[in-house]
Amino acid sequence: MSEEDTKRQPRRVGIMGGTFDPIHHGHLVAASEAASLFGLDQVVFVPAGKPYQKDDSEVSPAEHRYQMTVIATVSNPRFVVSRAEIDRTGPTYTIDTLRDFRDHYGRDTELFFITGADALGNILSWNSADELFQLAHFVGCNRPGHRLDDAGLPPGRVSLVEVPALAISSTECRERVRKGEPIWYLVPEGIVHYINKTGLYRH
């Protein structure tokens, strides 16, 4: 293949959505695994702004979650963090984010939306669900032992990847901090220091 042909090949960009409250090694391993399996040039982490399916009291302030995501991803040159959902007013909808990224990268770029398989199981209830699959290929990251019923999901537009590190959960991390238990090695070192410095999840 000539250099000119290579330049014409569409780029592949992963979009990793989530609340990241806090971001942990499971998220990072899932993004890295997806990047390897699907030949992604870049993975964009998109912390949710105001998730429409969660009450304000259930989610930490967006700026804290954004800062932690930047700290956790800074060492990987293929990982970047977007403020797209944080800076957008109103509830956060995945369809708006995918439309924004489609406009930004253009039609020659293939988009891969990376999310937990449990979230993917509810995708048909998401806003503008039919259009979602036209904009991106969906990668559902399985926790060990989790099984996804793919009934109703369009064939060829969804892939499942098992990621053992996803046994870690943000909920568990928050609860451990609240109880005064360690979260070392569940989250990157920088996140441990950030939580200790800001007092997140103490109450």
Side-chain angles (χ1 to χ4, degrees):
M1 181 181 292
S2 69
E3 182 177 349
E4 184 177 349
D5 288 335
T6 302
K7 288 179 180 178
R8 283 201 298 263
Q9 295 302 305
R11 295 182 67 221
R12 293 184 152 210
V13 174
I15 300 168
M16 182 94 177
T19 51
F20 303 127
D21 193 19
I23 189 169
H24 53 68
H25 283 303
H27 296 128
L28 300 171
V29 172
S32 178
E33 190 73 3
S36 175
L37 289 173
F38 296 96
L40 306 182
D41 301 297
Q42 187 179 72
V43 177
V44 184
F45 287 73
V46 187
K50 184 180 179 183
Y52 79 97
Q53 293 178 323
K54 294 188 178 182
D55 185 83
D56 287 344
S57 63
E58 297 178 348
V59 183
S60 299
E63 202 60 41
H64 280 311
R65 295 184 286 105
Y66 171 77
Q67 293 295 340
M68 287 190 287
T69 307
V70 170
I71 290 168
T73 58
V74 69
S75 63
N76 191 321
R78 279 205 286 186
F79 290 174
V80 297
V81 184
S82 168
R83 296 183 61 93
E85 292 191 358
I86 290 176
D87 292 340
R88 184 188 304 135
T89 58
T92 293
Y93 295 107
T94 299
I95 187 63
D96 296 324
T97 300
L98 287 178
R99 287 168 179 163
D100 287 347
F101 279 99
R102 169 56 64 219
D103 290 342
H104 175 76
Y105 285 104
R107 302 240 168 231
D108 288 338
T109 297
E110 291 184 73
L111 299 181
F112 293 76
F113 190 85
I114 308 164
T115 188
D118 49 354
L120 194 59
N122 298 320
I123 194 171
L124 295 179
S125 68
W126 293 8
N127 193 32
S128 302
D130 291 342
E131 187 182 349
L132 290 172
F133 296 107
Q134 299 173 23
L135 293 171
H137 184 97
F138 278 71
V139 180
C141 296
N142 265 343
R143 293 180 174 88
H146 179 87
R147 293 292 178 266
L148 174 66
D149 179 5
D150 60 358
L153 299 179
R157 301 302 293 165
V158 178
S159 299
L160 296 181
V161 178
E162 185 163 301
V163 181
L166 279 181
I168 303 170
S169 77
S170 294
T171 301
E172 178 189 4
C173 291
R174 293 195 300 272
E175 186 65 13
R176 290 182 68 85
V177 172
R178 189 185 68 79
K179 292 179 178 178
E181 297 173 352
I183 56 171
W184 286 99
Y185 314 116
L186 298 175
V187 302
E189 180 180 350
I191 304 307
V192 176
H193 295 312
Y194 186 91
I195 290 172
N196 287 337
K197 180 177 181 180
T198 60
L200 273 175
Y201 314 128
R202 298 295 180 194
H203 304 290

